[in-house]
Amino acid sequence: MLYTALIGYIHFEAPAEERNFNTLIEMINSMEVREDDEEFENPVDILFRELKEKNPDHFAVRQYAKYKLAAGKTAKSILVSCGARLAVFDIAELREVTAYDELELDTLGDRKTALFLIMSDTDDSFNFLISMCYTQLFNLLCEKADDVYGGRLPVHVRCLIDEAANIGQIPKLEKLIATIRSREISACLVLQAQSQLKAIYKDNADTIIGNCDARLFLGGSEPTTLKELSTALGKETIDTFNTGESRGKEISHSLNYQKLGKELASVDELAVLDGGKCILQLRGVRPFKSDKYDITKHPNYKYLSDADPKNNFDIGKFLSTRLKTKPNDTFDTYEIIDSAEETAEIPE
């Protein structure tokens, strides 16, 4: 309730440049509770009192009133808990990242755009930022598709979520993945093993998998993934025949034909799948095995850093504002004179 009240105040009352986590942190840091003085008002109490006088039915005021029902000791515990959960936003670099919006996520479906979200694959301290970004991306684009474009974005937005198990949980992904498709949005989850998805999303993992029209198996040895894939591939019919011979006074022979069902690909066969092969399951089509595409044969392979190290993207150089001139560049030169300095240099 405290978070809701503070965010409600920031959203509805604060100027645009202060609608960020920095303001939320400062409000929580400025809140003080004195157990021996219930009449004490901290700066945030004063803000809400003044807002209540102006608009008693304000959403933030009503939420803050519920929080204020807590006794002094309980209120102090709430403040400590709220501050601890947002402690990561006390990092200066993170506060700068969340101080203003430079991603413009709601414009990704308007024109062709490439957005890269890069994070550490060994340190999960900031996983929540990626999860928040995806949550806002899906919500903003769905709203824009419905309100502006009549239900479908003009440019398809494809989210390639590599290492989906290492970016944290995307809230309500099981619902989003079922609804974003109709808005020209798709999500491609890349996992090392299917069990990773179940470890994060628990019972909702099957719902997420069920809403994926295509499943591509590139190889692996995780038992659960192999068993489920083997079951999904189904069985094939094979013909068997048995021969028998009995010896006695006379020798007799018997021949028996049978039709049996056998897994199209057993668990042990999938575990040793050729590294150059893959299995694609597409909705409405029987699964099939195919060769992996040789990326070196792609016409644009020459532009990758694998083909030429000179193509490696230097993020530091890209973000640098230093102007580097070339021999053939043409510039206009201007001379600027400070009128105050010019006056000061004139002799009497």
Side-chain angles (χ1 to χ4, degrees), residues 3-175:
Y3 278 148
T4 304
L6 297 180
I7 294 175
Y9 186 95
I10 294 170
H11 178 74
F12 291 110
E13 301 299 324
E17 63 274 10
E18 295 182 3
R19 295 173 190 166
N20 50 44
F21 276 104
N22 297 351
T23 306
L24 181 62
I25 287 288
E26 293 302 330
M27 293 183 74
I28 292 179
N29 290 342
S30 63
M31 296 182 68
E32 180 185 356
V33 176
R34 296 181 181 177
E35 299 178 29
D36 55 346
D37 185 4
E38 295 185 358
E39 301 298 325
F40 173 76
E41 286 187 329
N42 58 52
V44 177
D45 290 331
I46 298 174
L47 287 176
F48 277 92
R49 176 169 56 79
E50 294 175 349
L51 181 59
K52 183 178 181 180
E53 294 173 354
K54 183 174 62 174
N55 186 359
D57 293 328
H58 195 286
F59 171 77
V61 170
R62 297 174 68 90
Q63 299 302 312
Y64 196 73
K66 298 174 184 177
Y67 156 73
K68 291 298 291 183
L69 294 175
K73 188 174 183 179
T74 304
K76 182 177 290 187
S77 176
I78 293 172
L79 288 176
V80 172
S81 299
C82 289
R85 295 190 66 177
L86 295 179
V88 66
F89 286 96
D90 277 328
I91 300 175
E93 290 81 0
L94 186 58
R95 297 181 69 169
E96 181 181 355
V97 168
T98 58
Y100 56 92
D101 177 24
E102 61 181 356
L103 294 180
E104 299 180 345
L105 297 176
D106 58 329
T107 64
L108 293 184
D110 299 339
R111 59 186 184 276
K112 289 186 177 182
T113 309
L115 173 63
F116 296 89
L117 302 176
I118 305 172
M119 62 169 293
S120 172
D121 56 355
T122 57
D123 184 5
D124 59 358
S125 302
F126 301 100
N127 282 359
F128 66 93
L129 286 175
I130 305 295
S131 300
M132 289 170 58
C133 186
Y134 274 116
T135 302
Q136 294 186 29
L137 172 68
F138 293 142
N139 289 338
L140 289 172
L141 290 182
C142 287
E143 289 179 2
K144 190 162 188 178
D146 294 338
D147 299 339
V148 180
Y149 296 112
R152 305 183 75 91
L153 295 172
V155 177
H156 186 84
V157 178
R158 185 179 303 278
C159 303
L160 302 176
I161 310 177
D162 192 14
E163 295 293 344
N166 295 327
I167 66 170
Q169 185 179 16
I170 301 176
K172 300 181 181 179
L173 179 61
E174 68 279 1
K175 296 180 180 179

Side-chain angles (χ1 to χ4, degrees), residues 326-337:
K326 298 179 180 179
N328 297 328
D329 289 344
T330 303
F331 300 94
D332 294 329
T333 305
Y334 300 90
E335 182 179 2
I336 301 177
I337 301 176

Side-chain angles (χ1 to χ4, degrees), residues 287-307:
F288 60 89
K289 183 166 66 172
S290 172
D291 293 327
K292 292 180 181 177
Y293 181 73
D294 185 1
I295 194 175
T296 60
K297 296 180 180 179
H298 195 281
N300 293 333
Y301 176 74
K302 58 185 178 181
Y303 299 116
L304 296 180
S305 59
D306 294 343

